[in-house]
Amino acid sequence: MNLNTPIGQIPKVGSFHTSRLKKLKIETVEDLVHHYPFRYENLGTPVKINALKVGERVSTAGKVEQIQNIRTRYGKNLTFATINDGTASIEAVWFNQPFLVKTVTPGAKIGLAGKIDYFSHKPTLINPDYELLNKPGTKGGFHTKGLVPIYPETSRLSSKWLRNKIKEMLPMVVGKIDETLSSESRSRNSLITKRQALWQIHFPNSEEQVKQARRRLAFEEIFITSLQAIERKASWEKLVKARPLNIHQEKILTLISNLPFNLTSSQNKVIKEILADLSAGKSMNRLLQGDVGSGKTVVAAIAAYVAYLNGYQTAFMAPTEILAAQHLKTLTSILSPLGVKLSIRTSSSKKRGPFDIIVGTHAILSKNVTFDNLALVIIDEQHRFGVEQRALLRTKAKRAHVLTMTATPIPRSLALVIFGDLDISTLDELPQGRKKIKTFVVPPEKRNRAYQFLRNKILEKRQAFIICPIIEPSETLSTAKAAKEEYSHLKTEVFPDLKLGLLHGKMKHSEKEIVLENFRDNNLNILVATPVVEVGIDVPNATVMMIEAAERFGLASLHQLRGRVGRSDQQAYCLLFTESSTENVIERLSSLEKHHLGLKLAKIDLKMRGPGHIFGTAQSGIPSFKIAELTDLPLINAARNEANLVFNQQKVNFTKSLRKGLEKQPLVTPD
Ligand code: ADP
Ligand code: MG
């Protein structure tokens, strides 16, 4: 028996259980012993039968005096047993488990856990959990007393079954489990060994043991992820010898002084960080995170200008055509007066000719775009690109610095785990004078008032967005309003006298452009759209944002959506419609009424729904941890520091460093 043994080969696990276990992603013995409980039921220490009290949940034990099945008048199967422990006896009753009499026989010693109540006028343990105690290896029992682990289950595969199997297998394989942390690492961070942790997570003697075990296993997950990231970073730095760039201070200052605004101190700080990278003779690989509207584009423009001044090209990649077009416009206004030549490359625009900066979608990655002279790659909204696309870009950009940008700021220590191979810069303030977007969660009964409110704003010559979560109707998304349907409904029933436009992701680029142009020119009062508007639309006259089925979005996505309004000195509003009245949902959405910084909202989402939801959809690139909570910042920091320390001390690759940490350990077993 070893860790790789397929689960179907262990005794008494047939094809039925094998298929059930597969549902839990358990295919080998190793998977089984790493299937961790998600909670524990504390059944306490067994109580003598003469001390049992009616109404309590108890753990007790004794000898079976007699047991028999009875069929009631109504056709129910009851199994009655009398249990005696020398101090007194008590009845137990089970419903519909007539097979019990085959295993629980008179004279057997059993442990019981359950609630005592009156049954047929007698104090009785009703449907208690039970276990036989005279089988070898069961000693005091582990299902009916103490802290009993409860596992993620699947139908017809109970925690009791899993507990039994783990109890059986763990002693056989625990000696083969490799240690991943050296004794120095463990003692620096007060961690128990991996083997000890596995025992304690499955069969703890106390809450304290559970805590120790969880902490140890969570630490390991983060430690390993971090070490891998540090490795990747080191190999990136070795592999990519980006062109060192000179910083032409005077010219950059001229650009900055020609901007129609003063840079925020955050922007200044971040620009310094980037320029330091570019000139340091190392390869920049930096993530710039900052809220919608925090002014990332101008930062990117300055970096691109540096490349230009050194005679090199920049590729600027955006996730949608709309956004690419927007960026082209912005960059052109800042840089073309300085002589920089810009070009665009999307699936529908293939402007050719020489360029200093090429802006585009992933079409930039196509074979027939070649770079003579690439020194900088900028990726906007990086989380919208797949891992492969990012990798492909890197292979195209052998000697280029990379700046990635995201409008979903997340706490620094979390970012370091998720994007551990990147350096991170954060824009943590908005340009001065921005008004907070007044945000309201709107229950169904206030919908008409909200429409009236919107109508009034349109009378004041303002414009509005109405966002629907999906394009086509879908049975499963019952509360979602399909944009098309919603559009025709709004157009005919709600705002027949107003001009409405429709924008969704399945439209041709040229169609989108026409709609957008009309909206920009205020020929449309309301733009009904799917979340494609999340990025790239800049219409300052739009001051109202209505979002349907808001509960479907992550807070960070909602925050980005509302960032489409509030782009002028006019007060802007965001109305979040939800049919849900679940307290949790309302509480989550209400945080948008109170908070106006993405970072804060990301922290709330992280707490309430976990990291997978911050970005709206489960996102590629976020490591999934079995046990580590990405909200446990002190632990994350400790594990990251340790990973750095180990990496720097050993200066060898990750797997080698793990091997080195291996050592023979005594086989630990619980008492
Ligand atoms: P982001 O990409 O971070 O969401 P943008 O770069 O699109 O934000 O900037 C949003 C708007 O703010 C743009 O109109 C831009 O010109 C403007 N802007 C950028 N920096 C400043 C600043 N320091 N002061 C005032 N306005 C700014
Ligand atoms: Mg942007």
Side-chain angles (χ1 to χ4, degrees), residues 6 11 29 93 107 172 225 229 261 286 296 341 399 416 431 455 467 483 495-497 516 546 556 570 583 624:
V29 171
V93 65
M172 289 193 230
T225 309
F261 44 74
R286 186 170 282 278
K296 293 184 290 297
K341 286 191 287 296
R399 300 210 52 201
L416 288 171
R455 188 177 277 285
I467 305 295
F495 302 113
D497 51 327
L516 268 178
M546 283 189 166
Q570 292 292 319
E583 205 178 307
S624 65

Coordinates of all heavy atoms in Angstrom, one line a residue, residues 6 11 29 93 107 172 225 229 261 286 296 341 399 416 431 455 467 483 495-497 516 546 556 570 583 624:
P6 N -4.3 3.2 -6.3 CA -5.6 3.7 -6.7 C -6.6 3.3 -5.6 O -6.5 2.2 -5.0 CB -5.9 3.0 -8.0 CG -4.6 2.6 -8.5 CD -3.7 2.3 -7.3
P11 N -8.9 -2.4 0.4 CA -9.9 -3.4 0.7 C -11.3 -2.8 0.9 O -11.4 -1.7 1.4 CB -9.4 -4.0 2.1 CG -7.9 -3.6 2.1 CD -7.7 -2.4 1.3
V29 N -4.9 6.8 -2.6 CA -4.8 6.9 -1.2 C -4.3 8.3 -0.7 O -4.8 8.8 0.2 CB -3.8 5.8 -0.7 CG1 -3.5 5.9 0.8 CG2 -4.4 4.4 -1.0
V93 N -33.3 3.8 20.1 CA -34.2 3.4 19.0 C -33.6 3.9 17.6 O -33.1 5.1 17.6 CB -35.6 3.8 19.2 CG1 -35.7 5.3 19.2 CG2 -36.6 3.2 18.2
G107 N -24.3 -8.4 23.8 CA -22.9 -8.7 24.3 C -21.9 -7.7 23.6 O -20.8 -7.5 24.2
M172 N -1.1 3.4 7.6 CA -0.3 2.6 6.7 C 0.6 3.5 5.8 O 1.6 3.1 5.3 CB -1.2 1.8 5.8 CG -1.9 0.7 6.5 SD -2.6 -0.4 5.2 CE -4.2 -0.5 5.8
T225 N 3.2 27.8 -3.1 CA 2.7 28.7 -4.2 C 3.7 29.9 -4.3 O 4.1 30.3 -5.5 CB 1.3 29.2 -4.0 OG1 0.5 28.1 -3.7 CG2 0.8 30.0 -5.2
A229 N 6.3 31.0 -7.4 CA 6.2 32.3 -8.0 C 7.6 33.0 -8.0 O 8.0 33.6 -9.0 CB 5.2 33.2 -7.3
F261 N -3.9 68.2 -16.6 CA -4.1 68.1 -15.2 C -2.8 67.9 -14.5 O -1.8 67.5 -15.1 CB -5.1 66.9 -14.8 CG -4.8 65.7 -15.6 CD1 -3.7 64.9 -15.3 CD2 -5.6 65.3 -16.7 CE1 -3.4 63.7 -16.1 CE2 -5.3 64.1 -17.4 CZ -4.2 63.4 -17.1
R286 N 5.9 44.1 -14.2 CA 5.2 44.8 -13.1 C 3.7 44.9 -13.3 O 3.2 45.0 -14.4 CB 5.8 46.3 -13.0 CG 5.3 47.1 -11.9 CD 6.1 48.4 -11.7 NE 7.4 48.2 -11.1 CZ 7.5 48.1 -9.7 NH1 6.5 48.2 -8.9 NH2 8.7 47.9 -9.2
K296 N -4.6 55.2 -14.9 CA -3.5 54.3 -15.3 C -3.0 54.6 -16.7 O -1.8 54.4 -17.0 CB -4.0 52.8 -15.3 CG -4.4 52.4 -13.8 CD -4.8 50.9 -13.8 CE -6.1 50.6 -14.4 NZ -7.3 51.3 -13.7
K341 N 4.4 57.9 -33.5 CA 3.4 57.4 -34.5 C 2.7 56.2 -33.9 O 3.3 55.3 -33.3 CB 4.2 56.9 -35.7 CG 4.7 58.0 -36.6 CD 5.2 57.6 -38.0 CE 6.5 56.9 -37.9 NZ 7.7 57.7 -37.4
R399 N 12.6 40.7 -25.8 CA 13.5 41.7 -25.1 C 12.7 42.8 -24.6 O 13.2 43.9 -24.5 CB 14.6 42.1 -26.1 CG 15.5 41.0 -26.6 CD 16.9 41.4 -26.9 NE 17.4 42.1 -25.8 CZ 18.5 43.0 -25.9 NH1 19.0 43.2 -27.1 NH2 19.0 43.6 -24.8
L416 N 0.3 39.4 -3.8 CA 1.7 38.8 -3.9 C 1.6 37.3 -4.0 O 2.4 36.7 -4.6 CB 2.5 39.2 -2.6 CG 2.9 40.7 -2.6 CD1 3.5 41.0 -1.2 CD2 3.9 40.9 -3.7
P431 N -7.9 61.1 -8.8 CA -7.6 62.5 -9.0 C -8.6 63.3 -8.2 O -9.7 62.9 -8.0 CB -7.9 62.6 -10.5 CG -7.6 61.3 -11.1 CD -8.1 60.3 -10.1
R455 N -35.8 59.2 -15.7 CA -36.5 60.1 -16.7 C -36.2 61.5 -16.4 O -35.9 62.3 -17.3 CB -38.0 59.8 -16.6 CG -38.9 60.4 -17.6 CD -40.3 59.9 -17.3 NE -40.6 58.6 -18.0 CZ -40.7 58.5 -19.3 NH1 -40.6 59.5 -20.1 NH2 -41.0 57.3 -19.8
I467 N -27.7 48.2 -17.4 CA -26.9 47.0 -17.7 C -27.7 45.7 -17.3 O -28.2 45.6 -16.2 CB -25.6 47.0 -16.8 CG1 -24.9 48.3 -16.9 CG2 -24.8 45.8 -17.0 CD1 -24.3 48.5 -18.3
A483 N -30.7 41.1 -22.4 CA -30.5 42.5 -22.8 C -31.5 42.8 -24.0 O -32.2 43.8 -24.0 CB -29.1 42.8 -23.3
F495 N -40.1 53.4 -21.6 CA -39.6 54.7 -22.1 C -40.0 54.8 -23.6 O -39.1 55.1 -24.5 CB -38.1 54.8 -22.0 CG -37.7 54.7 -20.5 CD1 -36.9 53.6 -20.1 CD2 -38.0 55.7 -19.6 CE1 -36.4 53.5 -18.8 CE2 -37.5 55.6 -18.3 CZ -36.8 54.5 -17.9
P496 N -41.3 54.7 -24.0 CA -41.6 54.7 -25.4 C -41.2 56.0 -26.1 O -41.0 56.1 -27.3 CB -43.1 54.4 -25.5 CG -43.6 54.7 -24.1 CD -42.5 54.5 -23.2
D497 N -41.2 57.1 -25.3 CA -40.9 58.4 -25.8 C -39.4 58.8 -25.9 O -39.1 59.8 -26.3 CB -41.7 59.5 -24.9 CG -41.3 59.3 -23.5 OD1 -41.1 58.1 -23.0 OD2 -41.3 60.3 -22.7
L516 N -22.3 53.3 -30.2 CA -21.5 54.1 -29.3 C -21.4 55.5 -29.8 O -21.5 56.5 -28.9 CB -20.1 53.5 -29.2 CG -19.9 52.5 -28.1 CD1 -18.5 51.9 -28.1 CD2 -20.2 53.2 -26.7
M546 N -27.8 52.0 -14.2 CA -28.7 51.1 -13.6 C -28.2 49.7 -13.9 O -27.9 49.4 -15.0 CB -30.1 51.2 -14.2 CG -30.9 52.4 -13.7 SD -32.6 52.2 -14.3 CE -33.3 53.5 -13.3
A556 N -16.3 43.9 -7.1 CA -15.3 44.6 -7.9 C -15.8 44.9 -9.3 O -15.6 46.0 -9.8 CB -14.0 43.8 -8.0
Q570 N -20.6 66.6 -13.0 CA -22.0 66.3 -12.6 C -22.1 65.2 -11.6 O -21.3 64.3 -11.7 CB -22.8 65.9 -13.9 CG -23.0 67.0 -14.9 CD -23.9 68.1 -14.4 OE1 -24.9 67.8 -13.7 NE2 -23.5 69.3 -14.7
E583 N -30.6 38.4 3.2 CA -29.9 39.4 4.0 C -28.4 39.6 3.5 O -27.9 40.7 3.4 CB -29.9 38.9 5.4 CG -29.8 40.0 6.4 CD -29.9 39.5 7.9 OE1 -30.9 38.8 8.1 OE2 -29.0 39.8 8.6
S624 N -6.0 27.7 -6.4 CA -7.1 27.3 -5.5 C -6.5 26.5 -4.3 O -5.7 25.6 -4.5 CB -8.2 26.4 -6.2 OG -7.6 25.2 -6.6

